[in-house]
Amino acid sequence: MSLNPPLSFKKDKDSKSELQDISLTKEDPLQNLCLASQEVLQKAQQSGRAKCLKCGGSRMFYCYTCYIPVETVPVEQIPVVKMQEIYSGGIKLPLKIDIIKHPHETDGKSTAAHAKLLAPEDVNLYTYPCIPEYEERKHEIVLVFPGPNSVSIEDISLHLHKHSPSNVLYSSENDRPEKLPNKRQKMEVEENGDAKDSSKRDSALLKKVVFIDSTWNQTHKIIADERLQGLLQVELKTRKTCFWRHQKGKPDTFLSTIEAIYYFLVDYHTAILKEKYKGQYDNLMFFYSFMYQLIKNAKSSARKQQENNIINL
């Protein structure tokens, strides 16, 4: 199957087949992404599975255990979301990301590997029950997970302020404690224009975001782990999934791991950093959007074949 860039996503308005799927019946939310050329993935897809240069495993596009592209996908043609001139359009993520993976989560089905491949310096993966110690830095970390006590991204700063040390604000540059100015000092400095604006002060509070990589039915043990208790939970209530393995019976606001990471960063960029979003993190969806289109095309072809078989009966 060959794809020619730019990818074209169209809504199938005429289909009434039982093979209808979320990716066929809804407008595609990925069509306006600012992505690096996916020609390298097109060529690799035509060549079929290839060998991982590290472990020797047979993979398509990348190795999901070593987090490197396969031999038919030159690493220099894969966008890296970091600040480095040799990578076109690269930008460093504003936050560190931890992904806690369920031990029974199938590596080949997980999208967590996409984040590690595309932002290797800012993303760390852990397999449960291996979880970092967050106790002493809970005021700088949030956990993205839906729940009765979860808050929106817009409310993160308010809640982190409540849990931060009363007389310390950590600098985003050197992580050293600085005394908070009193109200009069704060007003004077802001009037003189010598201080960072409030949005930058708020953004300095948050340093890391934690995501859980698991089927929704397997998350209970991880989310109940005492090491995650006390972390502020954040829910992406307005984003909807287009994952091809969306679990039956779950709301469409339950996102795949890479979707959750991407949408969190986009919303953080606009709501907390107060900056206009210009596609800075879109390449996190580099593999996801390509696979989405492949699977959508395959399902469309299967549906058409089924309809032709019915017509020819």
PDB file of all heavy atoms in Angstrom, residues 98-101 128-135 138 141-145 209-213 219-233:
ATOM      1  N   ASP A  98       7.304  11.173  32.184  1.00  0.00           N
ATOM      2  CA  ASP A  98       7.472   9.793  32.628  1.00  0.00           C
ATOM      3  C   ASP A  98       6.268   8.988  32.168  1.00  0.00           C
ATOM      4  O   ASP A  98       5.124   9.429  32.327  1.00  0.00           O
ATOM      5  CB  ASP A  98       7.558   9.706  34.157  1.00  0.00           C
ATOM      6  CG  ASP A  98       8.921  10.118  34.691  1.00  0.00           C
ATOM      7  OD1 ASP A  98       9.814  10.414  33.879  1.00  0.00           O
ATOM      8  OD2 ASP A  98       9.073  10.149  35.932  1.00  0.00           O
ATOM      9  N   ILE A  99       6.526   7.827  31.606  1.00  0.00           N
ATOM     10  CA  ILE A  99       5.455   6.916  31.197  1.00  0.00           C
ATOM     11  C   ILE A  99       5.595   5.634  31.996  1.00  0.00           C
ATOM     12  O   ILE A  99       6.650   4.991  31.971  1.00  0.00           O
ATOM     13  CB  ILE A  99       5.527   6.601  29.691  1.00  0.00           C
ATOM     14  CG1 ILE A  99       5.433   7.893  28.869  1.00  0.00           C
ATOM     15  CG2 ILE A  99       4.397   5.636  29.298  1.00  0.00           C
ATOM     16  CD1 ILE A  99       5.639   7.679  27.379  1.00  0.00           C
ATOM     17  N   ILE A 100       4.545   5.269  32.722  1.00  0.00           N
ATOM     18  CA  ILE A 100       4.542   4.036  33.506  1.00  0.00           C
ATOM     19  C   ILE A 100       3.723   2.995  32.762  1.00  0.00           C
ATOM     20  O   ILE A 100       2.515   3.149  32.595  1.00  0.00           O
ATOM     21  CB  ILE A 100       3.970   4.282  34.910  1.00  0.00           C
ATOM     22  CG1 ILE A 100       4.812   5.350  35.627  1.00  0.00           C
ATOM     23  CG2 ILE A 100       3.956   2.988  35.718  1.00  0.00           C
ATOM     24  CD1 ILE A 100       4.228   5.796  36.937  1.00  0.00           C
ATOM     25  N   LYS A 101       4.393   1.972  32.321  1.00  0.00           N
ATOM     26  CA  LYS A 101       3.777   0.969  31.459  1.00  0.00           C
ATOM     27  C   LYS A 101       3.372  -0.265  32.258  1.00  0.00           C
ATOM     28  O   LYS A 101       4.127  -0.760  33.085  1.00  0.00           O
ATOM     29  CB  LYS A 101       4.775   0.583  30.361  1.00  0.00           C
ATOM     30  CG  LYS A 101       4.310  -0.469  29.391  1.00  0.00           C
ATOM     31  CD  LYS A 101       5.388  -0.730  28.361  1.00  0.00           C
ATOM     32  CE  LYS A 101       5.028  -1.897  27.464  1.00  0.00           C
ATOM     33  NZ  LYS A 101       4.953  -3.171  28.214  1.00  0.00           N
ATOM     34  N   TYR A 128       5.836  -1.019  35.307  1.00  0.00           N
ATOM     35  CA  TYR A 128       5.317  -1.250  36.653  1.00  0.00           C
ATOM     36  C   TYR A 128       5.695  -2.661  37.132  1.00  0.00           C
ATOM     37  O   TYR A 128       5.652  -3.600  36.337  1.00  0.00           O
ATOM     38  CB  TYR A 128       3.788  -1.093  36.626  1.00  0.00           C
ATOM     39  CG  TYR A 128       3.155  -1.138  37.981  1.00  0.00           C
ATOM     40  CD1 TYR A 128       3.138  -0.006  38.795  1.00  0.00           C
ATOM     41  CD2 TYR A 128       2.597  -2.310  38.472  1.00  0.00           C
ATOM     42  CE1 TYR A 128       2.568  -0.048  40.056  1.00  0.00           C
ATOM     43  CE2 TYR A 128       2.031  -2.360  39.729  1.00  0.00           C
ATOM     44  CZ  TYR A 128       2.011  -1.232  40.511  1.00  0.00           C
ATOM     45  OH  TYR A 128       1.459  -1.273  41.766  1.00  0.00           O
ATOM     46  N   PRO A 129       6.120  -2.833  38.384  1.00  0.00           N
ATOM     47  CA  PRO A 129       6.005  -1.909  39.519  1.00  0.00           C
ATOM     48  C   PRO A 129       7.186  -0.942  39.697  1.00  0.00           C
ATOM     49  O   PRO A 129       7.316  -0.344  40.762  1.00  0.00           O
ATOM     50  CB  PRO A 129       5.913  -2.858  40.704  1.00  0.00           C
ATOM     51  CG  PRO A 129       6.757  -4.018  40.303  1.00  0.00           C
ATOM     52  CD  PRO A 129       6.500  -4.184  38.831  1.00  0.00           C
ATOM     53  N   CYS A 130       8.025  -0.802  38.691  1.00  0.00           N
ATOM     54  CA  CYS A 130       9.126   0.150  38.786  1.00  0.00           C
ATOM     55  C   CYS A 130       8.592   1.561  38.569  1.00  0.00           C
ATOM     56  O   CYS A 130       8.202   1.916  37.457  1.00  0.00           O
ATOM     57  CB  CYS A 130      10.192  -0.173  37.734  1.00  0.00           C
ATOM     58  SG  CYS A 130      11.580   0.975  37.720  1.00  0.00           S
ATOM     59  N   ILE A 131       8.552   2.337  39.625  1.00  0.00           N
ATOM     60  CA  ILE A 131       8.041   3.711  39.576  1.00  0.00           C
ATOM     61  C   ILE A 131       9.041   4.620  40.285  1.00  0.00           C
ATOM     62  O   ILE A 131       9.506   4.294  41.383  1.00  0.00           O
ATOM     63  CB  ILE A 131       6.662   3.841  40.261  1.00  0.00           C
ATOM     64  CG1 ILE A 131       5.614   3.018  39.525  1.00  0.00           C
ATOM     65  CG2 ILE A 131       6.216   5.295  40.320  1.00  0.00           C
ATOM     66  CD1 ILE A 131       4.233   3.090  40.158  1.00  0.00           C
ATOM     67  N   PRO A 132       9.381   5.753  39.713  1.00  0.00           N
ATOM     68  CA  PRO A 132      10.284   6.681  40.391  1.00  0.00           C
ATOM     69  C   PRO A 132       9.668   7.204  41.685  1.00  0.00           C
ATOM     70  O   PRO A 132       8.456   7.161  41.880  1.00  0.00           O
ATOM     71  CB  PRO A 132      10.449   7.825  39.373  1.00  0.00           C
ATOM     72  CG  PRO A 132      10.061   7.233  38.065  1.00  0.00           C
ATOM     73  CD  PRO A 132       9.016   6.216  38.368  1.00  0.00           C
ATOM     74  N   GLU A 133      10.503   7.696  42.570  1.00  0.00           N
ATOM     75  CA  GLU A 133      10.021   8.297  43.808  1.00  0.00           C
ATOM     76  C   GLU A 133       9.619   9.754  43.541  1.00  0.00           C
ATOM     77  O   GLU A 133      10.432  10.564  43.124  1.00  0.00           O
ATOM     78  CB  GLU A 133      11.104   8.242  44.881  1.00  0.00           C
ATOM     79  CG  GLU A 133      11.431   6.825  45.349  1.00  0.00           C
ATOM     80  CD  GLU A 133      10.267   6.168  46.063  1.00  0.00           C
ATOM     81  OE1 GLU A 133       9.431   6.905  46.635  1.00  0.00           O
ATOM     82  OE2 GLU A 133      10.197   4.926  46.054  1.00  0.00           O
ATOM     83  N   TYR A 134       8.351  10.052  43.769  1.00  0.00           N
ATOM     84  CA  TYR A 134       7.833  11.389  43.516  1.00  0.00           C
ATOM     85  C   TYR A 134       7.529  12.162  44.799  1.00  0.00           C
ATOM     86  O   TYR A 134       7.142  13.326  44.738  1.00  0.00           O
ATOM     87  CB  TYR A 134       6.548  11.309  42.691  1.00  0.00           C
ATOM     88  CG  TYR A 134       6.726  10.699  41.312  1.00  0.00           C
ATOM     89  CD1 TYR A 134       5.946   9.614  40.909  1.00  0.00           C
ATOM     90  CD2 TYR A 134       7.657  11.204  40.413  1.00  0.00           C
ATOM     91  CE1 TYR A 134       6.087   9.060  39.650  1.00  0.00           C
ATOM     92  CE2 TYR A 134       7.813  10.646  39.148  1.00  0.00           C
ATOM     93  CZ  TYR A 134       7.028   9.576  38.773  1.00  0.00           C
ATOM     94  OH  TYR A 134       7.177   9.035  37.527  1.00  0.00           O
ATOM     95  N   GLU A 135       7.681  11.529  45.936  1.00  0.00           N
ATOM     96  CA  GLU A 135       7.203  12.074  47.202  1.00  0.00           C
ATOM     97  C   GLU A 135       7.696  13.501  47.468  1.00  0.00           C
ATOM     98  O   GLU A 135       6.915  14.381  47.842  1.00  0.00           O
ATOM     99  CB  GLU A 135       7.644  11.157  48.353  1.00  0.00           C
ATOM    100  CG  GLU A 135       7.212  11.634  49.734  1.00  0.00           C
ATOM    101  CD  GLU A 135       5.703  11.674  49.893  1.00  0.00           C
ATOM    102  OE1 GLU A 135       5.018  10.806  49.308  1.00  0.00           O
ATOM    103  OE2 GLU A 135       5.211  12.571  50.605  1.00  0.00           O
ATOM    104  N   LYS A 138       6.208  16.342  44.719  1.00  0.00           N
ATOM    105  CA  LYS A 138       4.818  16.234  44.297  1.00  0.00           C
ATOM    106  C   LYS A 138       4.240  17.572  43.856  1.00  0.00           C
ATOM    107  O   LYS A 138       3.305  17.608  43.053  1.00  0.00           O
ATOM    108  CB  LYS A 138       3.966  15.641  45.423  1.00  0.00           C
ATOM    109  CG  LYS A 138       4.164  14.140  45.595  1.00  0.00           C
ATOM    110  CD  LYS A 138       3.236  13.579  46.649  1.00  0.00           C
ATOM    111  CE  LYS A 138       3.396  12.068  46.758  1.00  0.00           C
ATOM    112  NZ  LYS A 138       2.498  11.489  47.792  1.00  0.00           N
ATOM    113  N   ILE A 141       4.811  17.987  39.975  1.00  0.00           N
ATOM    114  CA  ILE A 141       4.465  16.879  39.085  1.00  0.00           C
ATOM    115  C   ILE A 141       2.951  16.709  39.024  1.00  0.00           C
ATOM    116  O   ILE A 141       2.261  16.841  40.036  1.00  0.00           O
ATOM    117  CB  ILE A 141       5.106  15.568  39.584  1.00  0.00           C
ATOM    118  CG1 ILE A 141       6.624  15.730  39.694  1.00  0.00           C
ATOM    119  CG2 ILE A 141       4.778  14.405  38.654  1.00  0.00           C
ATOM    120  CD1 ILE A 141       7.312  14.587  40.408  1.00  0.00           C
ATOM    121  N   VAL A 142       2.442  16.394  37.828  1.00  0.00           N
ATOM    122  CA  VAL A 142       1.034  16.039  37.697  1.00  0.00           C
ATOM    123  C   VAL A 142       0.915  14.681  37.017  1.00  0.00           C
ATOM    124  O   VAL A 142       1.809  14.256  36.279  1.00  0.00           O
ATOM    125  CB  VAL A 142       0.240  17.100  36.895  1.00  0.00           C
ATOM    126  CG1 VAL A 142       0.251  18.427  37.610  1.00  0.00           C
ATOM    127  CG2 VAL A 142       0.767  17.230  35.472  1.00  0.00           C
ATOM    128  N   LEU A 143      -0.184  14.011  37.289  1.00  0.00           N
ATOM    129  CA  LEU A 143      -0.494  12.714  36.691  1.00  0.00           C
ATOM    130  C   LEU A 143      -1.704  12.888  35.790  1.00  0.00           C
ATOM    131  O   LEU A 143      -2.760  13.329  36.241  1.00  0.00           O
ATOM    132  CB  LEU A 143      -0.795  11.695  37.792  1.00  0.00           C
ATOM    133  CG  LEU A 143      -1.371  10.343  37.358  1.00  0.00           C
ATOM    134  CD1 LEU A 143      -0.366   9.574  36.503  1.00  0.00           C
ATOM    135  CD2 LEU A 143      -1.780   9.520  38.581  1.00  0.00           C
ATOM    136  N   VAL A 144      -1.545  12.564  34.521  1.00  0.00           N
ATOM    137  CA  VAL A 144      -2.660  12.689  33.584  1.00  0.00           C
ATOM    138  C   VAL A 144      -3.485  11.411  33.640  1.00  0.00           C
ATOM    139  O   VAL A 144      -3.060  10.350  33.168  1.00  0.00           O
ATOM    140  CB  VAL A 144      -2.155  12.952  32.150  1.00  0.00           C
ATOM    141  CG1 VAL A 144      -3.334  12.989  31.175  1.00  0.00           C
ATOM    142  CG2 VAL A 144      -1.390  14.274  32.095  1.00  0.00           C
ATOM    143  N   PHE A 145      -4.648  11.520  34.238  1.00  0.00           N
ATOM    144  CA  PHE A 145      -5.531  10.362  34.396  1.00  0.00           C
ATOM    145  C   PHE A 145      -6.906  10.870  34.808  1.00  0.00           C
ATOM    146  O   PHE A 145      -7.018  11.714  35.701  1.00  0.00           O
ATOM    147  CB  PHE A 145      -4.988   9.404  35.461  1.00  0.00           C
ATOM    148  CG  PHE A 145      -5.647   8.052  35.435  1.00  0.00           C
ATOM    149  CD1 PHE A 145      -5.214   7.077  34.550  1.00  0.00           C
ATOM    150  CD2 PHE A 145      -6.700   7.772  36.295  1.00  0.00           C
ATOM    151  CE1 PHE A 145      -5.827   5.828  34.522  1.00  0.00           C
ATOM    152  CE2 PHE A 145      -7.316   6.532  36.272  1.00  0.00           C
ATOM    153  CZ  PHE A 145      -6.880   5.554  35.376  1.00  0.00           C
ATOM    154  N   VAL A 209       5.392  15.550  33.926  1.00  0.00           N
ATOM    155  CA  VAL A 209       4.052  14.988  33.735  1.00  0.00           C
ATOM    156  C   VAL A 209       4.173  13.466  33.642  1.00  0.00           C
ATOM    157  O   VAL A 209       5.053  12.950  32.949  1.00  0.00           O
ATOM    158  CB  VAL A 209       3.383  15.524  32.453  1.00  0.00           C
ATOM    159  CG1 VAL A 209       1.928  15.092  32.404  1.00  0.00           C
ATOM    160  CG2 VAL A 209       3.500  17.023  32.378  1.00  0.00           C
ATOM    161  N   VAL A 210       3.296  12.768  34.345  1.00  0.00           N
ATOM    162  CA  VAL A 210       3.310  11.305  34.376  1.00  0.00           C
ATOM    163  C   VAL A 210       2.092  10.776  33.624  1.00  0.00           C
ATOM    164  O   VAL A 210       0.974  11.254  33.810  1.00  0.00           O
ATOM    165  CB  VAL A 210       3.295  10.784  35.833  1.00  0.00           C
ATOM    166  CG1 VAL A 210       3.326   9.253  35.844  1.00  0.00           C
ATOM    167  CG2 VAL A 210       4.490  11.347  36.610  1.00  0.00           C
ATOM    168  N   PHE A 211       2.328   9.767  32.784  1.00  0.00           N
ATOM    169  CA  PHE A 211       1.258   9.105  32.030  1.00  0.00           C
ATOM    170  C   PHE A 211       1.301   7.605  32.320  1.00  0.00           C
ATOM    171  O   PHE A 211       2.373   7.047  32.566  1.00  0.00           O
ATOM    172  CB  PHE A 211       1.423   9.334  30.525  1.00  0.00           C
ATOM    173  CG  PHE A 211       1.311  10.771  30.106  1.00  0.00           C
ATOM    174  CD1 PHE A 211       2.417  11.608  30.157  1.00  0.00           C
ATOM    175  CD2 PHE A 211       0.106  11.292  29.663  1.00  0.00           C
ATOM    176  CE1 PHE A 211       2.329  12.941  29.773  1.00  0.00           C
ATOM    177  CE2 PHE A 211       0.003  12.620  29.279  1.00  0.00           C
ATOM    178  CZ  PHE A 211       1.118  13.444  29.334  1.00  0.00           C
ATOM    179  N   ILE A 212       0.150   6.972  32.265  1.00  0.00           N
ATOM    180  CA  ILE A 212       0.057   5.517  32.452  1.00  0.00           C
ATOM    181  C   ILE A 212      -0.230   4.881  31.099  1.00  0.00           C
ATOM    182  O   ILE A 212      -1.176   5.267  30.407  1.00  0.00           O
ATOM    183  CB  ILE A 212      -1.043   5.151  33.462  1.00  0.00           C
ATOM    184  CG1 ILE A 212      -0.667   5.682  34.845  1.00  0.00           C
ATOM    185  CG2 ILE A 212      -1.238   3.634  33.528  1.00  0.00           C
ATOM    186  CD1 ILE A 212      -1.730   5.463  35.903  1.00  0.00           C
ATOM    187  N   ASP A 213       0.584   3.916  30.726  1.00  0.00           N
ATOM    188  CA  ASP A 213       0.428   3.216  29.453  1.00  0.00           C
ATOM    189  C   ASP A 213      -0.131   1.833  29.728  1.00  0.00           C
ATOM    190  O   ASP A 213       0.586   0.932  30.171  1.00  0.00           O
ATOM    191  CB  ASP A 213       1.780   3.120  28.738  1.00  0.00           C
ATOM    192  CG  ASP A 213       1.659   2.490  27.360  1.00  0.00           C
ATOM    193  OD1 ASP A 213       0.826   2.965  26.564  1.00  0.00           O
ATOM    194  OD2 ASP A 213       2.386   1.525  27.084  1.00  0.00           O
ATOM    195  N   THR A 219      -5.626  -0.443  34.460  1.00  0.00           N
ATOM    196  CA  THR A 219      -5.026   0.713  35.124  1.00  0.00           C
ATOM    197  C   THR A 219      -5.232   0.739  36.631  1.00  0.00           C
ATOM    198  O   THR A 219      -4.510   1.445  37.342  1.00  0.00           O
ATOM    199  CB  THR A 219      -5.610   2.027  34.554  1.00  0.00           C
ATOM    200  OG1 THR A 219      -7.042   2.022  34.756  1.00  0.00           O
ATOM    201  CG2 THR A 219      -5.281   2.173  33.084  1.00  0.00           C
ATOM    202  N   HIS A 220      -6.197  -0.037  37.133  1.00  0.00           N
ATOM    203  CA  HIS A 220      -6.612   0.103  38.528  1.00  0.00           C
ATOM    204  C   HIS A 220      -5.472  -0.102  39.520  1.00  0.00           C
ATOM    205  O   HIS A 220      -5.306   0.663  40.473  1.00  0.00           O
ATOM    206  CB  HIS A 220      -7.754  -0.872  38.825  1.00  0.00           C
ATOM    207  CG  HIS A 220      -8.925  -0.724  37.906  1.00  0.00           C
ATOM    208  ND1 HIS A 220      -9.704   0.412  37.877  1.00  0.00           N
ATOM    209  CD2 HIS A 220      -9.428  -1.547  36.944  1.00  0.00           C
ATOM    210  CE1 HIS A 220     -10.652   0.279  36.962  1.00  0.00           C
ATOM    211  NE2 HIS A 220     -10.496  -0.897  36.380  1.00  0.00           N
ATOM    212  N   LYS A 221      -4.651  -1.128  39.291  1.00  0.00           N
ATOM    213  CA  LYS A 221      -3.577  -1.414  40.232  1.00  0.00           C
ATOM    214  C   LYS A 221      -2.532  -0.312  40.218  1.00  0.00           C
ATOM    215  O   LYS A 221      -2.001   0.072  41.268  1.00  0.00           O
ATOM    216  CB  LYS A 221      -2.931  -2.758  39.888  1.00  0.00           C
ATOM    217  CG  LYS A 221      -1.899  -3.213  40.919  1.00  0.00           C
ATOM    218  CD  LYS A 221      -1.408  -4.614  40.625  1.00  0.00           C
ATOM    219  CE  LYS A 221      -0.440  -5.079  41.712  1.00  0.00           C
ATOM    220  NZ  LYS A 221       0.050  -6.461  41.434  1.00  0.00           N
ATOM    221  N   ILE A 222      -2.233   0.210  39.032  1.00  0.00           N
ATOM    222  CA  ILE A 222      -1.213   1.257  38.936  1.00  0.00           C
ATOM    223  C   ILE A 222      -1.696   2.544  39.594  1.00  0.00           C
ATOM    224  O   ILE A 222      -0.984   3.160  40.388  1.00  0.00           O
ATOM    225  CB  ILE A 222      -0.840   1.513  37.462  1.00  0.00           C
ATOM    226  CG1 ILE A 222      -0.202   0.256  36.849  1.00  0.00           C
ATOM    227  CG2 ILE A 222       0.127   2.688  37.353  1.00  0.00           C
ATOM    228  CD1 ILE A 222       0.176   0.411  35.384  1.00  0.00           C
ATOM    229  N   ILE A 223      -2.905   2.962  39.263  1.00  0.00           N
ATOM    230  CA  ILE A 223      -3.399   4.237  39.774  1.00  0.00           C
ATOM    231  C   ILE A 223      -3.596   4.184  41.295  1.00  0.00           C
ATOM    232  O   ILE A 223      -3.561   5.224  41.966  1.00  0.00           O
ATOM    233  CB  ILE A 223      -4.730   4.633  39.079  1.00  0.00           C
ATOM    234  CG1 ILE A 223      -5.021   6.121  39.295  1.00  0.00           C
ATOM    235  CG2 ILE A 223      -5.867   3.785  39.544  1.00  0.00           C
ATOM    236  CD1 ILE A 223      -4.012   7.047  38.680  1.00  0.00           C
ATOM    237  N   ALA A 224      -3.766   2.977  41.850  1.00  0.00           N
ATOM    238  CA  ALA A 224      -3.947   2.840  43.297  1.00  0.00           C
ATOM    239  C   ALA A 224      -2.620   2.733  44.038  1.00  0.00           C
ATOM    240  O   ALA A 224      -2.604   2.725  45.278  1.00  0.00           O
ATOM    241  CB  ALA A 224      -4.798   1.608  43.601  1.00  0.00           C
ATOM    242  N   ASP A 225      -1.516   2.665  43.325  1.00  0.00           N
ATOM    243  CA  ASP A 225      -0.205   2.524  43.964  1.00  0.00           C
ATOM    244  C   ASP A 225       0.071   3.720  44.872  1.00  0.00           C
ATOM    245  O   ASP A 225      -0.134   4.874  44.482  1.00  0.00           O
ATOM    246  CB  ASP A 225       0.884   2.409  42.898  1.00  0.00           C
ATOM    247  CG  ASP A 225       2.220   1.985  43.484  1.00  0.00           C
ATOM    248  OD1 ASP A 225       2.865   2.823  44.133  1.00  0.00           O
ATOM    249  OD2 ASP A 225       2.615   0.815  43.279  1.00  0.00           O
ATOM    250  N   GLU A 226       0.538   3.445  46.064  1.00  0.00           N
ATOM    251  CA  GLU A 226       0.740   4.511  47.061  1.00  0.00           C
ATOM    252  C   GLU A 226       1.753   5.554  46.595  1.00  0.00           C
ATOM    253  O   GLU A 226       1.711   6.707  47.023  1.00  0.00           O
ATOM    254  CB  GLU A 226       1.189   3.910  48.386  1.00  0.00           C
ATOM    255  CG  GLU A 226       2.516   3.178  48.329  1.00  0.00           C
ATOM    256  CD  GLU A 226       2.919   2.600  49.675  1.00  0.00           C
ATOM    257  OE1 GLU A 226       2.099   2.633  50.613  1.00  0.00           O
ATOM    258  OE2 GLU A 226       4.063   2.127  49.780  1.00  0.00           O
ATOM    259  N   ARG A 227       2.667   5.169  45.717  1.00  0.00           N
ATOM    260  CA  ARG A 227       3.681   6.116  45.244  1.00  0.00           C
ATOM    261  C   ARG A 227       3.099   7.192  44.333  1.00  0.00           C
ATOM    262  O   ARG A 227       3.727   8.229  44.089  1.00  0.00           O
ATOM    263  CB  ARG A 227       4.807   5.357  44.535  1.00  0.00           C
ATOM    264  CG  ARG A 227       5.651   4.517  45.470  1.00  0.00           C
ATOM    265  CD  ARG A 227       6.530   3.552  44.713  1.00  0.00           C
ATOM    266  NE  ARG A 227       5.751   2.516  44.053  1.00  0.00           N
ATOM    267  CZ  ARG A 227       6.302   1.526  43.324  1.00  0.00           C
ATOM    268  NH1 ARG A 227       7.606   1.482  43.156  1.00  0.00           N
ATOM    269  NH2 ARG A 227       5.530   0.612  42.769  1.00  0.00           N
ATOM    270  N   LEU A 228       1.907   6.945  43.804  1.00  0.00           N
ATOM    271  CA  LEU A 228       1.249   7.939  42.954  1.00  0.00           C
ATOM    272  C   LEU A 228       0.212   8.758  43.704  1.00  0.00           C
ATOM    273  O   LEU A 228      -0.336   9.717  43.163  1.00  0.00           O
ATOM    274  CB  LEU A 228       0.590   7.247  41.756  1.00  0.00           C
ATOM    275  CG  LEU A 228       1.525   6.524  40.777  1.00  0.00           C
ATOM    276  CD1 LEU A 228       0.721   5.894  39.648  1.00  0.00           C
ATOM    277  CD2 LEU A 228       2.581   7.465  40.228  1.00  0.00           C
ATOM    278  N   GLN A 229      -0.048   8.349  44.948  1.00  0.00           N
ATOM    279  CA  GLN A 229      -1.043   9.076  45.734  1.00  0.00           C
ATOM    280  C   GLN A 229      -0.501  10.460  46.089  1.00  0.00           C
ATOM    281  O   GLN A 229       0.659  10.625  46.421  1.00  0.00           O
ATOM    282  CB  GLN A 229      -1.390   8.301  47.005  1.00  0.00           C
ATOM    283  CG  GLN A 229      -1.886   6.879  46.743  1.00  0.00           C
ATOM    284  CD  GLN A 229      -3.000   6.833  45.707  1.00  0.00           C
ATOM    285  OE1 GLN A 229      -4.041   7.461  45.887  1.00  0.00           O
ATOM    286  NE2 GLN A 229      -2.785   6.085  44.637  1.00  0.00           N
ATOM    287  N   GLY A 230      -1.364  11.423  45.997  1.00  0.00           N
ATOM    288  CA  GLY A 230      -0.958  12.790  46.321  1.00  0.00           C
ATOM    289  C   GLY A 230      -0.552  13.602  45.108  1.00  0.00           C
ATOM    290  O   GLY A 230      -0.424  14.824  45.195  1.00  0.00           O
ATOM    291  N   LEU A 231      -0.337  12.930  43.977  1.00  0.00           N
ATOM    292  CA  LEU A 231      -0.045  13.677  42.751  1.00  0.00           C
ATOM    293  C   LEU A 231      -1.338  14.316  42.239  1.00  0.00           C
ATOM    294  O   LEU A 231      -2.392  13.682  42.236  1.00  0.00           O
ATOM    295  CB  LEU A 231       0.534  12.763  41.674  1.00  0.00           C
ATOM    296  CG  LEU A 231       1.944  12.218  41.884  1.00  0.00           C
ATOM    297  CD1 LEU A 231       2.343  11.354  40.680  1.00  0.00           C
ATOM    298  CD2 LEU A 231       2.953  13.331  42.088  1.00  0.00           C
ATOM    299  N   LEU A 232      -1.245  15.534  41.797  1.00  0.00           N
ATOM    300  CA  LEU A 232      -2.401  16.199  41.208  1.00  0.00           C
ATOM    301  C   LEU A 232      -2.782  15.489  39.909  1.00  0.00           C
ATOM    302  O   LEU A 232      -1.943  15.307  39.024  1.00  0.00           O
ATOM    303  CB  LEU A 232      -2.073  17.661  40.917  1.00  0.00           C
ATOM    304  CG  LEU A 232      -3.168  18.485  40.232  1.00  0.00           C
ATOM    305  CD1 LEU A 232      -4.378  18.617  41.142  1.00  0.00           C
ATOM    306  CD2 LEU A 232      -2.631  19.855  39.834  1.00  0.00           C
ATOM    307  N   GLN A 233      -4.045  15.069  39.798  1.00  0.00           N
ATOM    308  CA  GLN A 233      -4.514  14.396  38.589  1.00  0.00           C
ATOM    309  C   GLN A 233      -5.145  15.403  37.634  1.00  0.00           C
ATOM    310  O   GLN A 233      -5.911  16.273  38.042  1.00  0.00           O
ATOM    311  CB  GLN A 233      -5.544  13.308  38.936  1.00  0.00           C
ATOM    312  CG  GLN A 233      -4.915  12.055  39.523  1.00  0.00           C
ATOM    313  CD  GLN A 233      -5.920  10.951  39.749  1.00  0.00           C
ATOM    314  OE1 GLN A 233      -5.847  10.230  40.739  1.00  0.00           O
ATOM    315  NE2 GLN A 233      -6.862  10.801  38.846  1.00  0.00           N
TER     316      GLN A 233
END
